[in-house]
Amino acid sequence: MNNITLMMIKPDGVENGHIGNILEKATSSGFKIKALKLTQLTQQDAEHFYSVHKERPFYIELVAFMTRGPIVAAILEKENAVSDFRTLIGATNPKEAADGTIRKLYATSMGENAVHGSDSDENAAIEAAFHFAKRERF
Ligand code: ATP
Ligand code: MG
């Protein structure tokens, strides 16, 4: 399966009022919304989701940030969804993100960068299953 990715609008994106803008950017770029919800990660959820970074100096800060308020989770569908969505969101550091990308437009810092996109087809499937029950996927 190489046609879905899992997006999260991170707590900063929700707090700053960018839910509508980011969803519009995704759909106008050819992504179809296959699942969508407002939810909040628990400490355990965030530690698990970002466990690959657990030895990094920013891990505690990252988990605190990702749990501090609601997020929007969505499954987005498009051919080459993972790589095309990574292109649309831009570099992790918004200062390095290309013009017109979601992070260039809406991120405030390296840590608070508005949006998450899966980094592989395998992780997209795992992350989609983490957030959505079968009956929530269309
Ligand atoms: P994401 O996985 O959230 O889509 P990404 O794949 O662009 O982002 P990763 O390397 O997976 O980047 O890092 C995960 C998240 O950890 C980043 O989005 C950012 O919020 C945070 N992060 C990464 N590097 C740093 C850093 N040097 N300082 C602070 N926060 C960081
Ligand atoms: Mg990542």
Side-chain angles (χ1 to χ4, degrees):
M1 186 159 58
N2 64 359
N3 63 341
I4 63 155
T5 191
L6 187 283
M7 173 186 85
M8 291 188 288
I9 301 175
K10 297 184 180 184
D12 63 319
V14 174
E15 288 160 10
N16 295 330
H18 297 314
I19 294 174
N21 292 327
I22 293 171
L23 290 176
E24 201 284 325
K25 191 92 178 142
T27 54
S28 67
S29 301
F31 291 88
K32 278 180 70 176
I33 296 172
K34 305 294 283 183
L36 181 68
K37 72 167 81 166
L38 194 64
T39 185
Q40 186 163 1
L41 296 177
T42 66
Q43 175 89 11
Q44 196 185 5
D45 291 337
E47 286 174 355
H48 174 70
F49 204 92
Y50 283 111
S51 58
V52 61
H53 295 306
K54 66 173 176 290
E55 307 303 335
R56 309 285 294 278
F58 57 82
Y59 178 68
I60 289 174
E61 191 187 324
L62 175 61
V63 169
F65 163 58
M66 287 301 295
T67 57
R68 82 174 180 215
I71 61 153
V72 171
I75 298 173
L76 302 177
E77 183 184 77
K78 185 181 183 293
E79 242 178 77
N80 299 315
V82 165
S83 64
D84 283 5
F85 194 65
R86 301 279 302 184
T87 301
L88 182 64
I89 68 181
T92 307
N93 185 346
K95 287 187 188 136
E96 290 160 16
D99 281 348
T101 60
I102 292 174
R103 283 172 169 162
K104 180 71 169 197
L105 288 165
Y106 304 120
T108 48
S109 67
M110 179 90 161
E112 304 206 0
N113 57 10
V115 70
H116 161 82
S118 304
D119 61 10
S120 67
D121 292 337
E122 188 191 2
N123 282 335
I126 292 167
E127 293 170 6
F130 171 81
H131 278 292
F132 294 100
K134 275 194 183 139
R135 69 177 183 283
E136 298 175 307
R137 299 175 65 158
F138 299 91

